[in-house]
């Protein structure tokens, strides 16, 4: 087989297969107001993992059984990439009753009648498609009525036990040691409780056998529920074959019923994700402290320092460096970007070869164009910083479009909010903005202009202009020395020349009182 046809065989759907996912339970043992299957594992709702497997395999469609928080589960299900239907289980009467709700999806108009069903618990996010394919192959090869996935655990508490014909020999794998039944934890006898082979909750069931068997379920058991697992015994009683595939990697069988198990699933899944990216050419200085959500993608030769968190649907390019303590959520980061320590980036785009950080906060809706720089304590929101532009120190840039080759001086603030509404700031290409400038929006700075340090810009600026708005500097020679003397009770030294020191207007200040007045009057006329 060539590599690509192998890939195809591993990803193609299986003819005649319908899939049923049980996701209606609340999950009491989670102690949560959130339905169990919605709890995130590595940044995705638990149920979406089995949903992915289902969509990759089912040629005859997928039915998801919803109940608790059905609307929310439905929303997750609708994002799936496949032919997925939702069936409601209004009362949670057990897993057998849950699967029965799928009958309307598969049987009757439009008729689908799959030749066999794959049935999955919604709370087993570590299961892999490769294992499920093996289970299906075994089912088909043995012509079984039911094929189930099992695992041998040190501590089987809480799980349904797999009861075989010759209990003491099943570990040796005796050929005639067929599965007889599954006994739920709460229904076990003492001898059964000692069995360490458990039912994972993943089954393949013959298409003609399933629904008639479910119709015959009897809820007289410890929990008063219709147990799906009772169909195993039914098949045996009908003389049908029941086969079982034992998991080698028992992690895959972990069913999440409690927060402890949720934490364990998170640990295993995170480890799997890290290994995948390490193999794909990503360097992690400290893998254990590197957190990568399931839907993140990372390019080759990217380096992640300790305590980096990559969340949601973040896409990281090639040869990116992300330093310690940065958290990046739902962002696109271009090739060769450098992100220094302790940045928070959300729903933003950073284009190739830009530099971000340290201590940068990009709130949603930011675009940092190629080769731009955002540094030390800069916050941005719904703003674009053009190619090669720099905002390196202590700024807030919100609701702003900033052109290319712009310098944003230290401490520059876009005043985008008047207490009622937000307004836009537009800065043209090649503008130089000095330190400590306030841009009072709405305002537009024409390209090539220079805004002197300390300016409060309230009116639009034409291209290539200079804006200075500052109180003229007053310098009184000897003033401080006289004040010190007065404070300490000494005779103050005489003021030089006149009684008051001459006022010197420094360069860079507005040159006369008159022009200052004129300018501030002009600014006062501006209305919003
Ligand atoms: C189930 C199996 C048990 C197995 C274990 C593996 C049964 C009777 N028992 O037990 O043998 O070892 O899984 O993890 O099947 N659900 C519904 N509707 C219901 C009840 C449950 O949709 O009325 C869903 C839940 O949302 C969950 C799944 O079915 O996704 C399993 O239910 P859960 O209550 O967790 O079953 P377990 O007691 O763990
Ligand atoms: Ca469970």
């Amino acid at each position: 087989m060539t590599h690509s046809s192998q890939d195809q065989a591993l990803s193609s759907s299986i003819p005649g297969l319908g899939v049923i996912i049980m996701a209606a339970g609340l999950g009491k043992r989670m102690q949560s107001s959130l339905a169990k299957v919605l709890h995130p594992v590595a940044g995705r709702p638990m149920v979406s993992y089995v949903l992915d497997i289902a969509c990759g395999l089912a040629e005859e469609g997928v039915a998801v059984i919803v109940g608790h928080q059905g609307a929310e589960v439905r929303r997750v299900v609708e994002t799936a990439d496949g032919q997925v239907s939702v069936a409601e289980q209004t009362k949670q009467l057990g897993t057998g009753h849950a699967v029965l709700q799928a009958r309307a999806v598969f049987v009757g108009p439009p008729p689908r009648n799959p030749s066999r069903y794959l049935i999955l618990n919604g709370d087993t996010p570590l299961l892999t498609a490769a294992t499920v394919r093996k289970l299906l192959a075994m089912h088909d090869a043995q012509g079984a009525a039911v094929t189930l996935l099992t695992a041998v655990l040190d501590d089987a508490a809480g799980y349904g036990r797999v009861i075989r014909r010759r209990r003491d020999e099943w570990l040796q794998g005796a050929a005639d040691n067929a599965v007889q039944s599954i006994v739920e934890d709460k229904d076990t006898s003492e001898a059964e409780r000692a069995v360490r082979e458990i039912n994972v909750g993943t089954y393949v069931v013959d298409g003609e056998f399933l629904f008639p068997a479910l119709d015959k379920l009897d809820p007289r058991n410890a929990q008063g529920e219709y147990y799906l697992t009772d169909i195993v015994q039914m098949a045996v009683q009908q003389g049908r074959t029941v086969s079982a595939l034992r998991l080698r990697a028992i992690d895959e069988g972990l069913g999440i019923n409690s927060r402890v198990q949720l934490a364990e699933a998170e640990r295993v899944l995170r480890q799997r994700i890290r290994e995948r990216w390490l193999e794909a050419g990503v360097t992690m200085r400290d893998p254990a402290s590197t957190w990568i959500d399931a839907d993140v993608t990372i390019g080759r030769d990217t380096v992640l320092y300790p305590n980096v968190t990559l969340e949601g649907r973040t896409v990281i390019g090639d040869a990116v460096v992300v330093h310690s303590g940065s958290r990046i959520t739902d962002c696109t980061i271009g090739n060769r970007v450098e992100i220094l320590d302790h940045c928070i980036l959300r729903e933003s785009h950073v284009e190739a070869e830009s530099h971000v950080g340290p201590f940068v906060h990009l709130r949603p809706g930011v675009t940092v164009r190629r080769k731009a720089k955002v540094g030390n304590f800069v916050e941005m929101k719904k703003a674009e910083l053009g190619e090669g532009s720099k905002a390196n120190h202590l700024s807030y840039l919100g609701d702003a479009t900033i052109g290319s080759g712009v310098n944003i001086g230290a401490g520059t603030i876009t005043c985008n909010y008047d207490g009622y509404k937000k307004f836009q700031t537009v800065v043209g290409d090649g503008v130089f903005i000095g330190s400590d400038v306030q841009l009072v929006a709405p305002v537009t700075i024409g390209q090539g202009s220079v805004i002197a340090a300390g300016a409060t810009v309230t009116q639009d600026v034409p291209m290539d202009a200079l804006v200075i708005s500052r109180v003229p500097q007053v310098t009184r020679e000897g003033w401080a020395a006289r004040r010190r003397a007065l404070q300490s009770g000494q005779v103050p030294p005489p003021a030089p020349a006149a009684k008051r020191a001459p006022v010197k207007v420094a360069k860079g200040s507005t040159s006369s009182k008159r022009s200052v007045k004129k300018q501030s009057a002009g600014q006062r006329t501006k209305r919003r």
Side-chain angles (χ1 to χ4, degrees):
M1 222 184 234
T2 66
H3 198 71
S4 71
S5 65
Q6 225 167 27
D7 284 352
Q8 213 165 27
L10 285 173
S11 64
S12 60
S13 63
I14 291 178
L17 184 72
V19 183
I20 301 168
I21 297 173
M22 293 173 275
L26 171 66
K28 283 195 201 90
R29 292 161 282 182
M30 293 294 282
Q31 302 290 345
S32 175
S33 52
L34 184 67
K36 177 168 70 178
V37 296
L38 293 175
H39 277 262
V41 184
R44 292 182 68 185
M46 200 186 292
V47 70
S48 68
Y49 291 93
V50 285
L51 199 57
D52 275 359
I53 294 178
C55 290
L57 293 174
E59 199 171 276
E60 296 293 321
V62 179
V64 182
I65 315 303
V66 305
H68 273 285
Q69 294 167 16
E72 287 78 5
V73 178
R74 201 181 279 261
R75 224 167 291 141
V76 171
V77 165
E78 276 162 3
T79 65
D81 179 20
Q83 187 196 343
V84 185
S85 312
V86 168
E88 190 103 15
Q89 184 193 27
T90 42
K91 270 192 181 165
Q92 280 65 60
L93 302 178
T95 49
H97 180 259
V99 173
L100 205 45
Q101 312 310 308
R103 182 186 252 155
V105 173
F106 289 108
V107 184
R112 287 197 251 184
N113 292 316
S115 58
R116 57 236 188 285
Y117 294 95
L118 167 68
I119 303 175
L120 303 167
N121 274 0
D123 64 355
T124 51
L126 300 181
L127 193 67
T128 67
T131 295
V132 174
R133 281 180 189 277
K134 271 189 217 153
L135 190 74
L136 280 158
M138 176 183 249
H139 180 87
D140 291 349
Q142 302 195 354
V146 181
T147 304
L148 53 123
L149 191 61
T150 76
V152 177
L153 305 183
D154 288 339
D155 178 9
Y159 289 98
R161 306 299 203 283
V162 176
I163 307 302
R164 295 188 180 250
R165 193 177 296 159
R166 293 158 62 194
R167 274 181 218 172
D168 47 338
E169 278 179 41
W170 64 262
L171 268 173
Q172 280 77 51
D176 65 338
N177 201 5
V179 172
Q180 296 299 292
S181 64
I182 296 170
V183 179
E184 288 308 296
D185 191 52
K186 289 189 172 125
D187 298 279
T188 46
S189 65
E190 215 177 306
E192 288 162 341
R193 213 166 305 142
V195 170
R196 296 191 300 127
E197 186 178 24
I198 63 107
N199 166 35
V200 166
T202 304
Y203 322 80
V204 184
V205 184
D206 178 75
E208 313 232 292
F209 175 79
L210 179 66
F211 292 115
L214 293 176
D215 282 331
K216 288 184 224 129
L217 289 178
D218 183 341
R220 278 173 294 178
N221 50 50
Q223 304 185 78
E225 288 184 1
Y226 295 91
Y227 290 160
L228 170 63
T229 44
D230 284 351
I231 66 169
V232 168
Q233 199 175 346
M234 247 183 247
V236 171
Q237 279 162 2
Q238 290 176 23
R240 303 282 306 265
T241 304
V242 172
S243 30
L245 177 68
R246 209 172 287 154
L247 270 179
R248 257 177 255 150
I250 56 169
D251 279 349
E252 281 197 47
L254 181 68
I256 315 278
N257 296 321
S258 67
R259 304 271 183 163
V260 172
Q261 287 164 328
L262 180 67
E264 176 63 8
E266 183 91 24
R267 188 187 66 77
V268 173
L269 210 57
R270 296 245 175 233
Q271 179 59 21
R272 276 192 204 164
I273 293 168
R274 282 191 291 260
E275 275 166 18
R276 175 152 56 93
W277 291 117
L278 288 166
E279 275 160 22
V282 174
T283 294
M284 294 175 208
R285 308 301 290 272
D286 177 28
S289 73
T290 308
W291 282 56
I292 305 167
D293 277 0
D295 290 329
V296 168
T297 63
I298 312 173
R300 272 160 58 114
D301 291 321
T302 282
V303 179
L304 306 176
Y305 277 74
N307 294 307
V308 163
T309 303
L310 306 177
E311 294 181 325
R313 300 193 165 270
T314 291
V315 177
I316 307 262
D318 291 345
V320 171
V321 181
V322 186
H323 287 264
S324 296
S326 289
R327 177 159 67 92
I328 305 176
T329 308
D330 294 319
C331 288
T332 310
I333 310 292
N335 297 338
R336 296 177 299 284
V337 166
E338 183 184 42
I339 297 170
L340 294 178
D341 309 58
H342 301 288
C343 294
I344 300 172
L345 278 54
R346 293 184 288 151
E347 296 170 44
S348 292
H349 299 274
V350 178
E351 291 185 356
E353 291 168 55
S354 297
H355 294 262
V356 175
F359 302 104
V360 162
H361 188 182
L362 301 186
R363 292 162 52 202
V366 169
T367 301
V368 176
R369 296 275 178 220
R370 288 172 61 88
K371 298 186 178 181
K373 273 181 149 183
V374 191
N376 310 278
F377 304 99
V378 172
E379 173 185 348
M380 293 180 72
K381 180 217 75 169
K382 285 190 188 156
E384 178 179 330
L385 184 66
E387 187 168 334
S389 292
K390 295 173 191 169
N392 269 339
H393 322 272
L394 302 158
S395 281
Y396 171 65
L397 304 170
D399 303 304
T401 308
I402 296 161
S404 58
V406 171
N407 179 77
I408 303 286
T412 293
I413 305 288
T414 53
C415 310
N416 60 331
Y417 184 51
D418 66 358
Y420 298 93
K421 283 186 181 166
K422 302 280 171 71
F423 298 90
Q424 294 289 322
T425 298
V426 179
V427 177
D429 294 344
V431 166
F432 179 92
I433 297 181
S435 297
D436 193 27
V437 165
Q438 298 92 52
L439 302 169
V440 181
V443 71
T444 298
I445 316 284
Q447 67 178 69
S449 285
V450 171
I451 312 296
T456 301
V457 184
T458 57
Q459 293 177 320
D460 288 353
V461 176
M463 62 187 288
D464 294 329
L466 166 71
V467 172
I468 299 179
S469 81
R470 63 174 76 138
V471 178
Q473 180 172 323
V474 173
T475 306
R476 293 210 175 102
E477 280 170 30
W479 186 94
R482 288 198 302 284
R483 180 168 174 270
R484 268 194 308 276
L486 272 172
Q487 292 300 326
S488 59
Q490 291 167 1
V491 183
K499 217 174 179 192
R500 281 182 75 96
V503 173
K504 277 191 187 165
V505 177
K507 93 171 162 204
S509 299
T510 319
S511 57
S512 75
K513 277 184 186 169
R514 221 171 149 195
S515 72
V516 170
K517 260 186 197 156
K518 222 169 157 186
Q519 193 180 5
S520 47
Q523 284 174 3
R524 255 183 258 119
T525 61
K526 181 168 174 174
R527 293 281 320 132
R528 266 225 299 264

